[in-house]
Amino acid sequence: MFKTMIADVKNLSYSYGNVRALDNIDMDIPEGAIGLLGPNGAGKSTLIRILLGFLPPDKGSGHVLGYDIQNQQKKIRKNVGYMPEDDCFIPGMDAVSFTSYLGELSGMPKQEAMKRAHEVLFYVGLEESRYRQVETYSSGMKQRLKLAQAIVHDPKLVFLDEPTSGLDPSGRKEILELIMDISSKKDIHVLISSHILPDIESTCSHVVILSEGKTAAQGSISELKKIKYNLYEIRTYGDDKGFIKKLEEMGCKVEQVEDKIIKIYMPPDNSHLELFKLAVEQDVQIRHFVKSQTSLEDLFAKAVGAE
Ligand SMILES: Nc1ncnc2c1ncn2[C@@H]1O[C@H](COP(=O)(O)OP(=O)(O)OP(=O)(O)O)[C@@H](O)[C@H]1O
Ligand SMILES: [Mg+2]
């Protein structure tokens, strides 16, 4: 089925000095509510900064809403809202001035920005505190203010970097409900980064799992959840590069545990006999073979580093 994409990246890599934060990422992000799931340090914030055009990729290409991330950054920022992970407030400003100022920075005329600032602060439930200095806000209020500034200029798409971070369970629930409302009623596409699977499952229809700068899995959550992968751990002898490539083409997810030891997540429709056949074709010997079962939850858990 053809789906319209709101963003895509191809062969994207980025390093901070010798720290490789993103390693040859390919991904297609369809319309709707999309989760970017991964443990601390997986590369989520780096990817978002690259999509916004704040960081130039070392290698690879990408588009957001059809605009090129390397030379149409202004157009991207005009049409995309961004809720950063860290506080982005200007000291000494109240919430209304701050929000309208950011609206102006996104290209809105002053009066309109002020009008919209009141509207969005009302929408996120900060109407009574809108003239208070932001420094006096609780963590929950700060998150809601960050969300308000991300939507002040009526973007088509918002990037929300860890929107539930630092919140207690009820604060988390509130912000997730707001995000779902933005996505469904306001017709804004949202990309939410998180390391918490339930947060993504409750808000998103599609997920990209990042692990150590690579995509570990991506697709529709309901489809991914149906898949029960068969997991095989094997030890190979011989040059296994071509063998691994063929396995990936077959739809397997392959994880190199150490040299010559690989884990293969094979879709249920394929048989392990195909694995042996492929090994023969690729001139690789399988010296050791262990079978176990896994599910998408295991894939998620593995990617987010849980037991
Ligand atoms: N400014 C920087 N200088 C050097 N290394 C950095 C910098 N920013 C990030 N990194 C490294 O790049 C990798 C990816 O970091 P990134 O912040 O993108 O991950 P993340 O998934 O957003 O993590 P978190 O969940 O902790 O926010 C990590 O190894 C991190 O230490
Ligand atoms: Mg981050």
Side-chain angles (χ1 to χ4, degrees):
M1 187 179 65
F2 178 78
K3 279 189 179 163
T4 315
M5 295 297 152
I6 48 167
D8 63 82
V9 301
K10 202 133 197 69
N11 302 121
L12 193 87
S13 294
Y14 187 85
S15 296
Y16 298 96
N18 54 15
V19 178
R20 181 157 263 222
L22 295 176
D23 189 1
N24 219 18
I25 298 234
D26 277 331
M27 95 189 165
D28 288 315
I29 299 179
E31 295 182 328
I34 317 301
L36 183 60
L37 185 67
N40 293 139
K44 306 180 295 295
S45 301
T46 306
L47 179 61
I48 291 176
R49 284 188 218 119
I50 289 179
L51 290 175
L52 285 162
F54 293 151
L55 292 175
D58 297 337
K59 193 169 81 65
S61 59
H63 301 90
V64 173
L65 299 172
Y67 301 118
D68 190 313
I69 56 170
Q70 304 208 61
N71 50 41
Q72 292 183 296
Q73 295 98 329
K74 271 200 180 153
K75 289 220 166 85
I76 292 177
R77 280 178 233 154
K78 196 169 163 43
N79 290 291
V80 177
Y82 173 42
M83 174 176 176
E85 186 174 16
D86 303 317
D87 282 353
C88 53
F89 307 118
I90 303 169
M93 263 185 156
D94 64 38
V96 176
S97 331
F98 171 71
T99 310
S100 68
Y101 178 60
L102 288 180
E104 282 181 57
L105 286 186
S106 306
M108 297 177 89
K110 199 179 177 76
Q111 268 194 331
E112 196 190 328
M114 183 54 85
K115 185 168 159 278
R116 274 289 294 172
H118 285 278
E119 277 170 22
V120 291
L121 289 170
F122 186 85
Y123 175 68
V124 301
L126 289 174
E127 69 278 18
E128 281 175 16
S129 337
R130 66 192 191 275
Y131 291 111
R132 247 168 71 185
Q133 299 264 314
V134 177
E135 289 96 312
T136 68
Y137 272 22
S138 70
S139 304
M141 293 164 87
K142 283 182 178 163
Q143 288 303 87
R144 279 186 274 156
L145 174 55
K146 281 201 279 175
L147 187 59
Q149 65 75 33
I151 55 171
V152 67
H153 57 304
D154 229 345
K156 297 188 178 71
L157 163 69
V158 280
F159 291 137
L160 311 175
D161 198 354
E162 306 257 6
T164 58
S165 138
L167 301 181
D168 63 18
S170 70
R172 249 173 76 190
K173 192 163 164 272
E174 277 170 26
I175 205 119
L176 290 173
E177 279 169 3
L178 267 175
I179 292 170
M180 281 189 275
D181 197 71
I182 289 174
S183 154
S184 59
K185 298 213 187 87
K186 296 206 173 282
D187 221 7
I188 297 176
H189 306 296
V190 293
L191 180 114
I192 308 158
S193 93
S194 178
H195 58 274
I196 305 165
L197 172 60
D199 284 3
I200 297 293
E201 273 189 301
S202 63
T203 47
C204 299
S205 51
H206 187 100
V207 70
V208 176
I209 307 178
L210 274 189
S211 171
E212 297 177 354
K214 293 191 168 77
T215 44
Q218 57 183 313
S220 123
I221 294 187
S222 57
E223 287 300 313
L224 284 171
K225 286 192 71 158
K226 276 190 219 149
I227 301 172
K228 284 265 181 219
Y229 287 85
N230 288 312
L231 170 63
Y232 303 107
E233 187 166 320
I234 63 169
R235 198 170 74 234
T236 59
Y237 183 78
D239 182 1
D240 57 12
K241 284 196 192 64
F243 174 59
I244 290 174
K245 193 160 170 276
K246 287 280 178 198
L247 283 170
E248 285 173 342
E249 282 171 12
M250 195 196 265
C252 299
K253 298 177 198 316
V254 184
E255 187 187 324
Q256 191 105 33
V257 182
E258 52 188 85
D259 191 31
K260 303 294 171 208
I261 298 184
I262 53 177
K263 277 187 180 171
I264 301 162
Y265 294 84
M266 190 178 250
D269 297 346
N270 295 96
S271 147
H272 64 282
L273 295 175
E274 293 174 60
L275 197 152
F276 285 98
K277 196 166 150 246
L278 210 60
V280 173
E281 281 167 19
Q282 295 293 318
D283 213 9
V284 169
Q285 289 177 31
I286 295 177
R287 291 279 173 98
H288 181 79
F289 179 85
V290 181
K291 177 181 188 304
S292 59
Q293 271 247 317
T294 187
S295 65
L296 181 74
E297 268 79 7
D298 300 327
L299 261 189
F300 275 133
K302 187 167 66 63
V304 299
E307 282 302 306

